[in-house]
Amino acid sequence: MKLAKTPVVAVLAVFLTLSAITGHTTENKVAVASAHPLASHAALEMIGRGGNAFDAAVAIGAVLAVVEPAGSGLGGGGFWLLHRASDGFETMLDGRETAPLAAHQDMYLDAEGRVIPGLSIDGPLSAGIPGVPAALVHLAEHYGKLPLSASLQPAIRYARDGFIIGERYRRLLSFRLPQIQSSPAAAAIFLDNGRVPDPGWTLRQPDLAKTLQRLADFGAAGFYAGETAEKLLKSVKAAGGIWSQQDLDNYRVVEREPVKGTYRGIRITGAALPSAGGIGLVQALNILTEYDLTAIDAVTRKHLVTEALRRVYHDRALYLGDPDFIDVPVSRLINPDYAAGLRSTIRKDRSLPSVMLSGDIPEQAGGDNTTHFSVMDGEGNRVAATLSVNYPFGSGFVAEGTGVILNDEMDDFDSRPGAVNVYGLIGGLPNAIAPGKRMLSSMSPTFLEDDERIAVLGTPGGSRIISMVLLGILDFADGNGPDSWVSVPRYHHQYIPDAVQYEPGGLSSEELQGLEKLGHRLRETSYRYGDMQALQWHKREGRFSAASDPRGEGLAVIRND
Ligand code: GLY
């Protein structure tokens, strides 16, 4: 076994667990990378009990709902990209939230048609109908080897017994403090006497433990009906939300065919709509494939990647939304000939202002959120999952007696064509709100494969997810491994705002000068963003490597024997 990025506590936790797991055979081979050591730990526990990567994914997702409540949870949604080794079957579990039936296109606008600040971000009116509970049940029942009651055990344990919070928890809680304080149930759980807890504080969530136990006992009905549903609906309605029992009854996980593409001998399997991720990545790589990025100088490489991203995010705003509600020209968007047309508008010696792609441009800052994990077992089953409650701690609202923090994923719809969301993303009618519709996402769980290697990767990070995964893929194409993909300095462009956003240290002074000369506006972010979790299988050597983003508090673990 090898540990990557090893905080002392995490090493100890994994060591203790592994010492309790017996029978290390080749079936015990596993690689996992997640945003929290306890979640990675849970994956090992499932493999040790005879489970596969899908059981591990159930356990990881459920533990993250407990130990990383700022990023994901039972009150949120997500996408699980699956590869089943026995027959090579690949699918994406779409557990994205849906708009309540009482939702309507103008629900966040005032009488003059202006977006009411905060309404789609804070409180239960901002929450879509959660998909994570249904997806955990679906994953366990259709792909796992263990009963749900076994794979939910680690999460129930950590919710009941508690765990010591990390610095990320404190930082994100401080960021959402007013919203948490305005929900009495949230404040009672996440704050220490109304304040952000000191380091070393233990977070216990007994109500969430009971909610998870009902899910373990009764499957989807343990969340979408009965006691949990009653409590959810009562609290949501009392606080001005619009959920109904019919919304909960109607919720369904959808299996969707992943988006596929190729880039210089690498096969890419990406997220399907309602994620913009798979389409965006394939489109960007199709544009970039004619350039020899490995040989090109650093400024030109970053300029070309930026120009590809500008065009990808422009198309996202024009065309993408829930495919069950609108027609999206997916095959055209991922067609290499279409990309060739876009490429022909790129000049190596000059940037193209976004205004040349489309009209008047509002601007707004970006954000950070969500969670990702990657896991693969010794048989070759693999899961890339990106899960979210949207903004840190979602809507900030907890339904009394459930311990469940509700998402604010409704903000990922376009409240008004031309308006920007909390990530500064612009959109239009394809992503307008409609009852039962799923909001467009950037979450981009991804598989890569060439003759030598298989990779599983993804990251949180709002609108910047797609560019982070793209930089990871380009680094894979350069021949580097997971340690490098998760560490590459990050920069981003999303068409609007018309600026290259870069994390501190993301661009060298030479690159900044070079990009400025080409006409790019440059904007440094206030912090290093993303939390990529990645693993690689080396086909010839029959071994794993894995890495957890140095910007986060996660843990990658591999066991090669
Ligand atoms: N809530 C962030 C995303 O889905 O893109």
Side-chain angles (χ1 to χ4, degrees):
M1 183 192 70
K2 188 178 164 202
L3 302 174
K5 197 166 72 101
T6 49
V8 175
V9 177
V11 174
L12 186 63
V14 173
F15 174 77
L16 291 174
T17 299
L18 287 183
S19 61
I21 295 169
T22 54
H24 288 193
T25 67
T26 46
E27 281 102 63
N28 283 322
K29 273 190 180 182
V30 63
V32 57
S34 86
H36 199 288
L38 295 177
S40 300
H41 183 190
L44 301 178
E45 196 177 323
M46 291 305 113
I47 299 294
R49 287 189 189 185
N52 59 18
F54 307 120
D55 298 305
V58 175
I60 299 167
V63 169
L64 288 171
V66 174
V67 302
E68 204 199 18
S72 67
L74 294 187
F79 302 119
W80 289 253
L81 197 61
L82 312 182
H83 174 96
R84 187 169 58 199
S86 58
D87 57 0
F89 174 69
E90 293 191 328
T91 189
M92 185 190 86
L93 298 194
D94 171 1
R96 184 71 161 160
E97 298 89 338
T98 53
L101 292 171
H104 58 91
Q105 194 172 332
D106 299 335
M107 64 187 278
Y108 299 120
L109 305 183
D110 65 15
E112 274 79 48
R114 291 176 302 225
V115 176
I116 303 169
L119 213 55
S120 63
I121 303 170
D122 305 328
L125 195 60
S126 66
I129 305 303
V132 164
L136 295 179
V137 173
H138 186 101
L139 188 52
E141 286 181 353
H142 292 85
Y143 296 94
K145 285 164 50 177
L146 300 175
L148 187 65
S149 54
S151 41
L152 291 184
Q153 267 319 302
I156 294 169
R157 205 167 61 226
Y158 295 127
R160 187 191 56 220
D161 300 344
F163 68 98
I164 295 174
I165 57 159
E167 201 41 48
R168 186 177 169 86
Y169 175 92
R170 284 167 29 82
R171 179 169 60 83
L172 295 173
L173 191 60
S174 304
F175 177 67
R176 292 291 274 163
L177 191 56
Q179 290 72 33
I180 298 287
Q181 284 171 330
S182 67
S183 167
I189 297 167
F190 298 117
L191 302 179
D192 181 11
N193 291 313
R195 291 184 309 111
V196 175
D198 291 331
W201 189 69
T202 298
L203 172 58
R204 290 191 181 83
Q205 301 170 82
D207 285 340
L208 183 57
K210 287 183 201 142
T211 299
L212 282 160
Q213 189 62 57
R214 285 191 287 275
L215 189 65
D217 292 343
F218 306 114
F223 185 90
Y224 296 89
E227 188 178 338
T228 305
E230 278 164 28
K231 287 179 169 163
L232 287 170
L233 294 177
K234 190 169 167 213
S235 274
V236 164
K237 278 181 192 154
I242 54 172
W243 290 12
S244 67
Q245 183 58 51
Q246 202 185 344
D247 286 314
L248 298 176
D249 292 341
N250 284 358
Y251 191 84
R252 292 287 176 275
V253 173
V254 182
E255 289 210 17
R256 301 192 191 271
E257 198 179 330
V259 172
K260 306 233 176 181
T262 56
Y263 174 75
R264 297 186 156 240
I266 302 164
R267 294 182 289 287
I268 295 113
T269 304
L273 287 170
S275 170
I279 293 170
L281 287 170
V282 170
Q283 208 179 349
L285 292 164
N286 282 344
I287 294 171
L288 294 170
T289 194
E290 290 298 315
Y291 307 115
D292 188 357
L293 292 183
T294 306
I296 231 159
D297 70 276
V299 171
T300 309
R301 174 175 170 135
K302 283 166 183 169
H303 165 65
L304 294 172
V305 170
T306 296
E307 290 302 314
L309 286 168
R310 185 197 306 278
R311 285 150 181 81
V312 163
Y313 278 85
H314 177 248
D315 276 1
R316 171 197 165 111
L318 276 186
Y319 297 115
L320 303 192
D322 183 343
D324 295 338
F325 280 71
I326 57 155
D327 288 328
V328 181
V330 177
S331 43
R332 171 156 69 89
L333 294 174
I334 61 171
N335 189 309
D337 291 338
Y338 176 72
L342 295 177
R343 193 186 315 115
S344 71
T345 67
I346 295 177
R347 290 179 56 154
K348 277 194 179 162
D349 62 343
R350 189 194 298 170
S351 69
L352 182 82
S354 290
V355 73
M356 300 292 278
L357 294 175
S358 184
D360 219 11
I361 300 170
E363 295 189 9
Q364 196 168 307
D368 203 0
N369 69 334
T370 311
T371 196
H372 177 87
F373 65 83
S374 299
V375 61
M376 182 165 168
D377 63 27
E379 289 172 25
N381 298 305
R382 50 189 190 261
V383 181
T386 313
L387 316 178
S388 185
V389 286
N390 197 25
Y391 226 32
F393 288 91
S395 63
F397 182 84
V398 168
E400 197 74 48
T402 66
V404 175
I405 193 143
L406 303 189
N407 69 84
D408 57 356
E409 220 74 64
M410 291 293 287
D411 189 64
D412 275 351
F413 280 119
D414 296 302
S415 298
R416 178 173 64 78
V420 291
N421 74 0
V422 77
Y423 304 112
L425 278 172
I426 192 166
L429 280 176
N431 189 34
I433 302 169
K437 191 174 175 183
R438 289 164 196 239
M439 54 296 282
L440 189 60
S441 171
S442 299
M443 293 188 285
S444 306
T446 302
F447 299 148
L448 308 174
E449 182 163 6
D450 64 14
D451 295 342
E452 304 279 329
R453 301 174 293 162
I454 291 169
V456 182
L457 71 158
T459 181
S463 59
R464 300 188 191 112
I465 291 175
I466 297 172
S467 62
M468 284 188 261
V469 175
L470 178 66
L471 295 180
I473 296 173
L474 295 175
D475 202 50
F476 174 98
D478 286 343
N480 297 317
D483 275 341
S484 177
W485 317 333
V486 302
S487 307
V488 277
R490 292 179 176 145
Y491 60 97
H492 170 78
H493 198 291
Q494 59 182 46
Y495 158 60
I496 291 166
D498 189 354
V500 182
Q501 302 171 35
Y502 63 99
E503 64 178 2
L507 295 170
S508 68
S509 51
E510 211 171 70
E511 289 164 351
L512 289 170
Q513 279 171 21
L515 288 169
E516 203 159 26
K517 264 196 202 139
L518 293 172
H520 293 284
R521 288 169 59 204
L522 300 160
R523 212 179 266 181
E524 190 177 41
T525 60
S526 53
Y527 57 96
R528 295 178 77 215
Y529 58 84
D531 195 10
M532 184 172 281
Q533 311 296 331
L535 65 88
Q536 179 168 241
W537 173 249
H538 303 258
K539 292 182 181 175
R540 271 177 225 268
E541 298 102 314
R543 67 173 178 89
F544 287 117
S545 52
S548 178
D549 200 315
R551 298 161 186 82
E553 298 174 354
L555 176 70
V557 186
I558 54 173
R559 199 163 58 204
N560 277 320
D561 49 26

